[in-house]
Amino acid sequence: MKSLSEQLKEILKDETLETRQKIEEVADQSSEYGLKLIKKRSPRDSNRKSNRTGKKRYASGWRDEKEYVGGFIMKHTLHNVNEPTLTHLLENGHVVKNQFGTYGRARAIPHIERTEKDTADYFEQNVVRKLEK
């Protein structure tokens, strides 16, 4: 017969495994939600040529990468595979030189930071809801 401490250890071990599985499930759902949001919010420019980045190439290039950092710690990363260098420029704006040699500033189109906040809120709400059950 097992002692009380051994029984408690087994119960806690099962509980942590169940909790971790619930959190992983919510993390997968949240990354899918974030991926849909970022694709929807990404800038598009219908006036550009089809081989240029602005049309749908940038918006359709978002991917979700799942990575185990160490042990049971999982990390989801959303990144743009088609135009990775444009993300910072579009999010924050950038300096532009025109044909007369004067400098201007391209307007920022914030879409990544908003999506990050919304996805984090979605994750937090769903984790709390899932663990309360």
Side-chain angles (χ1 to χ4, degrees):
M1 190 158 149
K2 295 180 182 178
S3 68
L4 180 62
S5 63
E6 290 174 352
Q7 291 176 355
L8 283 174
K9 284 180 184 178
E10 284 185 17
I11 291 171
L12 289 175
K13 185 177 179 182
D14 292 341
E15 189 66 30
T16 56
L17 178 63
E18 187 178 320
T19 302
R20 188 175 64 237
Q21 289 172 343
K22 288 179 182 179
I23 291 174
E24 283 184 10
E25 183 181 321
V26 172
D28 289 338
Q29 293 170 353
S30 298
S31 68
E32 289 175 16
Y33 173 76
L35 190 60
K36 287 179 186 175
L37 267 182
I38 194 79
K39 283 184 176 183
K40 182 179 173 184
R41 291 178 176 171
S42 290
R44 292 169 176 80
D45 189 357
S46 58
N47 295 329
R48 297 247 174 142
K49 294 179 183 176
S50 61
N51 63 349
R52 297 289 300 269
T53 58
K55 196 159 186 185
K56 290 185 181 177
R57 183 170 164 77
Y58 176 76
S60 65
W62 292 100
R63 301 289 184 268
D64 175 30
E65 184 177 301
K66 184 176 178 179
E67 175 184 355
Y68 285 93
V69 179
F72 298 107
I73 301 171
M74 181 179 45
K75 178 176 87 170
H76 284 272
T77 305
L78 298 179
H79 59 95
N80 196 304
V81 293
N82 290 343
E83 300 294 337
T85 56
L86 276 183
T87 57
H88 178 77
L89 297 174
L90 289 172
E91 182 75 14
N92 302 316
H94 56 92
V95 174
V96 177
K97 183 178 177 184
N98 65 13
Q99 63 190 8
F100 305 113
T102 59
Y103 290 88
R105 185 125 186 110
R107 68 180 175 91
I109 307 171
H111 57 287
I112 299 171
E113 188 176 346
R114 284 185 7 206
T115 303
E116 181 182 2
K117 288 178 183 177
D118 292 345
T119 305
D121 292 341
Y122 180 86
F123 175 76
E124 187 177 328
Q125 292 170 359
N126 285 336
V127 164
V128 169
R129 188 178 321 129
K130 199 81 148 166
L131 294 179
E132 284 177 351
K133 290 182 181 179

